[in-house]
Amino acid sequence: ADRAFSEDRDVVLEAVRSNGLALQFASEELRADEEVILEAVRSTGGAWIYADSELRTRRDFLLRAVTANYKALKYMSEAVRSDPEVVLAAVRQEGRALKYACEELRADPELVLEAVRSRREALEFASTDLQREVSFFDVAGSPWTDVGRSPVGEVVKIGLCRRGDVDGGGSW
């Protein structure tokens, strides 16, 4: 990329708003600019990999990034994907962020409940053991109903049918 353009903050901001991956062509200084990075991540979660390495370790900035676009979690380190607070921020933005959490957090009933509150379909990313645990669904029932989700019975049936436990056919 033309050096003059890669160092022009306004040009880079416009570019990353259109396609976050344009961040890779920005100057080092702009790849360390919080606003530029957040705009890039908001546009494309994968832009995270081009952000300044120091910013990628700052907890406050990690939280802002996953709040801007949950898909950024996919490109974060295993340590970050194991951080309950960061993953919680991501699943509150979009329940399907649970897909990118470490296995241990995908088995955490409270975290999974938050993900399902955001999007019922997030249940498919919960650990298999948690999906099968009927008592989890009993506990989770009221919040789903409160936020306009399906009643617990329907959610349990969906989970069981998807695994083939009801009719004996199919697999998860």
Side-chain angles (χ1 to χ4, degrees):
D2 185 327
R3 186 177 188 125
F5 289 120
S6 70
E7 294 177 355
D8 184 316
R9 189 172 191 275
D10 292 332
V11 169
V12 170
L13 269 171
E14 192 61 36
V16 299
R17 284 179 181 135
S18 177
N19 181 345
L21 297 178
L23 184 60
Q24 68 187 301
F25 302 112
S27 67
E28 279 189 46
E29 179 182 328
L30 291 176
R31 285 188 284 132
D33 181 308
E34 292 183 27
E35 182 185 359
V36 171
I37 296 166
L38 288 175
E39 286 296 328
V41 167
R42 189 171 286 115
S43 169
T44 310
W48 178 255
I49 65 173
Y50 300 111
D52 177 73
S53 59
E54 182 184 328
L55 282 177
R56 290 194 321 244
T57 62
R58 268 196 20 219
R59 194 155 208 279
D60 66 310
F61 195 68
L62 293 165
L63 290 166
R64 289 173 58 202
V66 298
T67 301
N69 186 338
Y70 78 95
K71 290 181 181 178
L73 186 62
K74 176 181 180 178
Y75 302 95
M76 294 180 175
S77 71
E78 182 65 27
V80 172
R81 290 183 286 122
S82 299
D83 182 318
E85 187 179 358
V86 174
V87 173
L88 180 61
V91 300
R92 283 183 173 157
Q93 200 259 342
E94 167 56 67
R96 292 176 295 182
L98 187 61
K99 175 180 185 176
Y100 307 121
C102 72
E103 189 60 38
E104 180 181 336
L105 292 180
R106 291 168 54 177
D108 180 314
E110 291 179 25
L111 188 77
V112 171
L113 179 58
E114 281 297 321
V116 172
R117 280 182 181 146
S118 172
R119 182 175 297 264
R120 186 178 66 195
E121 294 85 358
L123 183 59
E124 78 176 274
F125 304 115
S127 71
T128 304
D129 289 344
L130 194 56
Q131 289 177 21
R132 293 181 187 273
E133 191 175 316
V134 175
S135 64
F136 172 72
F137 293 105
D138 293 340
V139 171
S142 294
W144 286 330
T145 304
D146 292 345
V147 297
R149 301 294 189 198
S150 298
V152 172
E154 182 180 335
V155 172
V156 172
K157 286 180 190 170
I158 290 169
L160 292 174
C161 290
R162 291 190 70 185
R163 288 192 304 273
D165 291 345
V166 172
D167 63 6
S171 63
W172 182 251

